[in-house]
Amino acid sequence: MIDIKITKTTCPKAKPDESELGFGKIFTDHMFIMEYDAGKGWHDARIVPFANFSIHPSSTVLHYGEEIFEGLKAYRIADGSVQLFRPIENVRRMNSSADRLCLPAIEEEDALKAITAFVKVEQDWVPHSEGASLYIRPFMFGNDPHLGVHTVQSAVFSIIASPSGSYYEEGLNPVKILIEDQDVRAVRGGTGYIKCGGNYAASTRAGHRAEQKGYSQVLWLDGVERKYIEEVGAMNVMFKINGEVITPALTGSILPGITRKSCIEVLKSKGYKVTERLISVDELKDAMANGSLEEAWGCGTAAVVSPIGMFMYKDVEYPVCGQRIGETTQMLYDTLTGIQYGKIKDPFGWTVKI
Ligand code: PLP
Ligand code: COI
């Protein structure tokens, strides 16, 4: 088990105005860091004042994109205490990401200890206002100081945190999503199923084009046929068609979202029929045209549950659910945030007290 040395800042920052948080713009007073070296393993676990990294100009991450990350939140509950939502799932996914990029794994209990010790130090930064939370960003990068392309011998694992409000400016109002038919995000056998920086780099151009058209994010199609729906930029996607909830199956190019998994478990517990399968963009288009698409939403840690009010595909706009939040989307939002903020009982055992 790692031993974590804590050095507190001597000049804590003023806490931000919670009505102006936005997403990921403000950072807390400290950060967690530990290093890995082959033959030595992970070492020097510490929580220190928030500061810049100093890395060699040939560091692997700068040239070959050896970087993975996670995203989870700490929530303030009514009695003033703080809790996490399914952190073990983030730890396991991070190790799966590490495995794909040949980065070193971290023992599950060490990673959990790092997250909880860090959040404990930063607990005053967990916002008190409705809908706000402390977004926690664990990340790891390869840090060898030479240019050969090899399995890394040195790596850094760090955790930073940002008090955050809503991910989208729209809040819980429906977002507009553009179905991307040019660029692709990932292919099977690639890195689509992990959370690595490169996936987001590859997504930037389409996201930029979507924003220019007034759309929040893109909906990706599969990388081979550009036919099957995969996921949205920072969310998995779900559709309610004729009363049944359908979500793309995890075929290897889609991120196995923790919110996706949680939505499926909540829906099944409430008696909904949920199907994970391939769904083509033509099937979606038909369902939008004949009115059988009742609701569509995205789900992710940052975005929570976000109703989709409009799709655009090949320059044609398709409004969804009268551009309002549908009842199933609202139920999922209320149930997940209810559990996360401790307002309703957690029958699944998902929350972890700090
Ligand atoms: N898909 C992508 C590409 C994401 O970036 C995210 C956000 O983490 C998700 C899906 C949702 O995953 P999770 O619910 O684990 O946050
Ligand atoms: C998250 O929901 O944690 C994400 O990673 C989204 C993000 C890329 C901003």
Side-chain angles (χ1 to χ4, degrees):
M1 184 68 116
I2 50 167
D3 203 25
I4 304 172
K5 189 169 168 235
I6 300 175
T7 309
K8 293 265 182 83
T9 179
T10 49
C11 39
K13 292 179 270 194
K15 301 289 183 299
D17 175 347
E18 289 192 10
S19 64
E20 290 175 6
L21 290 175
F23 176 80
K25 295 182 190 154
I26 299 159
F27 294 92
T28 62
D29 284 321
H30 301 90
M31 63 201 292
F32 175 92
I33 313 179
M34 66 180 175
E35 282 94 11
Y36 171 90
D37 287 287
K40 197 170 170 191
W42 288 104
H43 59 89
D44 288 302
R46 59 203 184 274
I47 293 169
V48 290
F50 192 92
N52 292 345
F53 285 113
S54 170
I55 56 174
H56 194 279
S58 76
S59 173
T60 330
V61 65
L62 298 180
H63 298 268
Y64 308 124
E66 282 273 342
E67 193 268 353
I68 57 173
F69 66 95
E70 272 304 322
L72 70 162
K73 287 173 170 174
Y75 306 86
R76 171 101 39 212
I77 64 174
D79 66 6
S81 65
V82 170
Q83 65 187 24
L84 302 171
F85 183 72
R86 311 190 81 174
I88 188 67
E89 297 287 338
N90 295 92
V91 166
R92 291 187 178 142
R93 189 171 61 190
M94 191 176 69
N95 278 336
S96 149
S97 299
D99 179 61
R100 178 65 182 80
L101 297 194
C102 287
L103 285 164
I106 303 179
E107 292 287 341
E108 287 180 4
E109 67 255 42
D110 286 344
L112 275 182
K113 185 176 173 185
I115 294 168
T116 45
F118 174 63
V119 174
K120 207 170 250 173
V121 168
E122 300 296 49
Q123 58 186 303
D124 289 350
W125 283 89
V126 180
H128 293 76
S129 48
E130 173 109 27
S133 57
L134 184 67
Y135 182 78
I136 303 158
R137 171 55 63 87
F139 60 108
M140 187 194 297
F141 56 91
N143 194 29
D144 282 0
H146 38 71
L147 294 176
V149 183
H150 303 290
T151 307
V152 295
Q153 303 296 303
S154 305
V156 175
F157 172 66
S158 179
I159 311 174
I160 54 175
S162 170
S164 293
S166 176
Y167 184 65
Y168 295 114
E169 279 169 19
E170 290 89 338
L172 194 54
N173 293 321
V175 292
K176 294 168 72 178
I177 301 292
L178 191 138
I179 302 177
E180 172 65 29
D181 60 354
Q182 295 170 48
D183 290 356
V184 296
R185 173 186 175 274
V187 290
R188 280 178 221 175
T191 57
Y193 71 97
I194 67 162
K195 224 163 150 58
C196 65
N199 289 344
Y200 298 80
S203 307
T204 313
R205 183 171 68 177
H208 178 68
R209 282 195 299 247
E211 273 173 23
Q212 284 179 322
K213 289 190 171 168
Y215 280 70
S216 302
Q217 284 195 348
V218 305
L219 176 61
W220 297 104
L221 301 180
D222 76 275
V224 178
E225 297 182 71
R226 289 178 211 189
K227 177 175 170 189
Y228 296 105
I229 289 166
E230 300 230 303
E231 63 185 320
V232 180
M235 313 187 285
N236 293 108
V237 68
M238 298 188 169
F239 307 101
K240 189 176 165 199
I241 300 177
N242 287 329
E244 175 186 355
V245 176
I246 299 166
T247 191
L250 300 176
T251 49
S253 48
I254 301 176
L255 191 78
I258 296 158
T259 321
R260 173 190 183 277
K261 185 174 177 177
S262 307
C263 284
I264 292 172
E265 289 172 55
V266 167
L267 286 162
K268 286 189 173 164
S269 77
K270 294 194 185 279
Y272 280 81
K273 180 167 184 218
V274 186
T275 310
E276 298 174 60
R277 64 165 168 88
L278 293 181
I279 171 164
S280 71
V281 65
D282 288 333
E283 182 181 346
L284 178 67
K285 224 170 58 175
D286 289 348
M288 292 192 285
N290 67 26
S292 59
L293 178 73
E294 293 155 16
E295 296 178 46
W297 63 88
C299 52
T301 299
V304 196
V305 174
S306 186
I308 297 172
M310 179 83 79
F311 283 112
M312 178 185 267
Y313 182 54
K314 296 195 188 291
D315 287 325
V316 180
E317 290 198 311
Y318 298 88
V320 181
C321 194
Q323 300 189 63
R324 289 188 311 272
I325 183 163
E327 61 170 339
T328 305
T329 313
Q330 183 79 55
M331 179 281 290
L332 282 172
Y333 179 86
D334 291 344
T335 308
L336 286 186
T337 57
I339 292 172
Q340 290 163 341
Y341 289 90
K343 287 187 190 150
I344 57 177
K345 220 175 129 267
D346 170 12
F348 305 98
W350 286 338
T351 50
V352 174
K353 289 250 186 230
I354 287 297

